[in-house]
Amino acid sequence: MPYSIMLDAGHGGRDPGAIYNGRQEKDDTLRLVLAIGDILQNSDVNVEYTRTTDVYESPYQKALEANNAGVDFFLSIHRNSFETDNLVSGVESLVYNLSGIKLQVAEEINQLLKGIGFVNLGVKARPNLVVLRKTKMPAVLVEVGFINSDTDNLLFDENFNEIAQSIASALLDVLETDHIIPVPGYSVQVGSYKNPIYAKRFLKELLDQGFPANLIQSDGYFRVYVGSFNTLDDAASMEQKLKLAGYPTLIINQ
């Protein structure tokens, strides 16, 4: 089952967000979200959007949309602002609390955007934000530079495609590393569980033995797979190794 992500372009419609010299936050966020979405979809990720046009929805409506869609991750894109123009610059990511996969994604996004030239202002806990508090899945809100910073706006405009690619790559890198996104091709299924505790215990056992195992949830089951192979012969070779180790096997075409 492909991974699913809800992308949220901050503000919209009657709510322009921060404004600087005629530039509106809602426009920057929508353009960037659509670019990120295209990259993720090309990587076989299911992408949902809170908006794809200039419309307004409350933060509560956005969180409810994500919950109703049953997505696995929620990412909200914003531009920051400071009371004095051109005094502060940098990228900042916000999460409900400083733990879990959401923190890993936020830190990776900040690091990659730092490589583009943004100042890394770190990851902050903001449990009062509705889109972080009311969403039932891991959620990150990224402030992609200050809209009232000429430095950040120049970075945003001249490196737009790199910014979109960096944010998408951060999501994909962390989620794949955490054995969440299935990779297309052949794989060997070695276990299927209703109870995630047993599945994770089995996953650890395989990883400890050096098998490239991953865990995927679908249709109410937690399935443990080993490897991702381009050819059936490679998958069959891994299947033999698993059989010799005493594990039941089933080759799956993902």
Side-chain angles (χ1 to χ4, degrees), residues 25-215:
E25 181 181 1
K26 68 174 183 177
D27 298 327
D28 283 356
T29 61
L30 180 58
R31 190 160 65 99
L32 184 54
V33 153
L34 294 176
I36 295 168
D38 284 344
I39 296 168
L40 291 174
Q41 286 175 326
N42 288 334
S43 298
D44 295 321
V45 174
N46 286 337
V47 179
E48 306 255 1
Y49 301 90
T50 57
R51 70 181 181 98
T52 57
T53 58
D54 186 20
V55 297
Y56 173 77
E57 287 187 342
S58 71
Y60 179 80
Q61 286 175 297
K62 293 177 176 184
L64 189 62
E65 278 184 30
N67 294 339
N68 289 340
V71 297
D72 302 297
F73 201 93
F74 182 91
L75 179 69
S76 184
I77 299 295
H78 286 252
R79 300 290 313 278
N80 221 332
S81 184
F82 193 70
E83 57 188 14
T84 303
D85 295 341
N86 292 303
L87 186 62
V88 181
S89 62
V91 60
E92 178 180 55
S93 289
L94 309 177
V95 292
Y96 180 76
N97 57 40
L98 300 176
S99 67
I101 195 170
K102 60 186 180 296
L103 177 60
Q104 296 177 50
V105 170
E107 290 177 336
E108 181 74 5
I109 288 173
N110 282 19
Q111 279 299 117
L112 291 179
L113 294 184
K114 179 182 177 182
I116 291 174
F118 287 98
V119 174
N120 184 355
L121 298 177
V123 179
K124 311 289 194 321
R126 290 289 187 273
N128 59 315
L129 293 180
V130 172
V131 294
L132 302 180
R133 187 178 77 247
K134 291 295 186 181
T135 42
K136 295 180 180 178
M137 67 294 300
V140 175
L141 187 153
V142 185
E143 300 274 11
V144 188
F146 283 73
I147 200 168
N148 62 338
S149 162
D150 292 334
T151 298
D152 281 357
N153 285 337
L154 188 63
L155 283 170
F156 188 95
D157 294 336
E158 292 191 346
N159 302 276
F160 180 81
N161 291 331
E162 287 183 68
I163 292 169
Q165 183 64 62
S166 294
I167 293 173
S169 294
L171 280 162
L172 294 170
D173 288 349
V174 173
L175 300 177
E176 287 176 355
T177 299
D178 277 36
H179 313 289
I180 294 174
I181 295 181
V183 181
Y186 295 96
S187 188
V188 184
Q189 181 178 309
V190 289
S192 181
Y193 300 86
K194 276 285 191 181
N195 190 323
I197 295 175
Y198 297 142
K200 290 176 181 177
R201 186 181 299 163
F202 187 34
L203 174 67
K204 183 178 185 303
E205 176 184 321
L206 291 165
L207 291 171
D208 287 345
Q209 294 183 66
F211 289 109
N214 58 81
L215 179 63

